[in-house]
Amino acid sequence: MKLGFTLPIIGPAISSAAGLSAFCRGIEDLGYDTLWVGDRLVQPVDMHSTYPGKEQPYPPQMKRHLDPVLLWSVAATATSQVRLNASTLSTFYYEPPHLARMLTTLDVLSDGRLKVGVGLGG
């Protein structure tokens, strides 16, 4: 069985490249096969949730979504074996030639570990 792990979108692991690198190395050391990213450019202004049981606003750190290609870049330099995957990369946000060049560069620099699922938006 192969197991993957999603790169965090909140918390200390993404407050710095060093923190994210340590997180990615730890995941690889634990034997996970893949690291996943999501892609979200926009979200509702006033997000609320009923989890864990009552209506409450999302914490401020949940309103920040970092660029998936840059997150992959950090993950690629911190690891040597895990595959780098996207649940869905929102291709609508990118110019096609620029996206192709970024993804090709990342695939080359990660020794072919990049796999991308694409879509039109989140």
Side-chain angles (χ1 to χ4, degrees), residues 28-29 38 41 47 56 60 70 74 85-86 89 94 105-106 113-114 122:
E28 185 172 68
D29 290 345
L41 184 62
M47 292 180 62
Q56 57 190 0
L70 294 176
V74 172
N85 292 16
L89 187 68
Y94 303 91
T105 300
L106 184 54
R113 293 184 289 142
L114 183 65

Side-chain angles (χ1 to χ4, degrees), residues 10 12 14-15 19 34-35 38 40 44 47 49 53 55-56 60 62 65 75 79-81 84 91 102 106 111 116 122:
I10 62 169
I14 62 160
S15 61
T34 55
L35 284 169
R40 182 163 306 250
M47 292 180 62
S49 172
E55 183 74 19
Q56 57 190 0
M62 289 290 288
H65 295 277
T79 61
S80 61
Q81 296 179 344
L84 308 170
T91 57
M102 284 191 313
L106 184 54
D111 295 324
V116 181

Side-chain angles (χ1 to χ4, degrees), residues 1-57:
M1 178 184 335
K2 294 186 177 193
L3 297 173
F5 205 92
T6 301
L7 290 174
I9 60 169
I10 62 169
I14 62 160
S15 61
S16 70
L20 182 59
S21 294
F23 177 86
C24 293
R25 278 191 302 278
I27 292 300
E28 185 172 68
D29 290 345
L30 288 171
Y32 283 88
D33 298 292
T34 55
L35 284 169
W36 293 80
V37 297
D39 190 10
R40 182 163 306 250
L41 184 62
V42 295
Q43 66 184 36
V45 173
D46 190 21
M47 292 180 62
H48 286 76
S49 172
T50 56
Y51 181 80
K54 65 177 186 168
E55 183 74 19
Q56 57 190 0

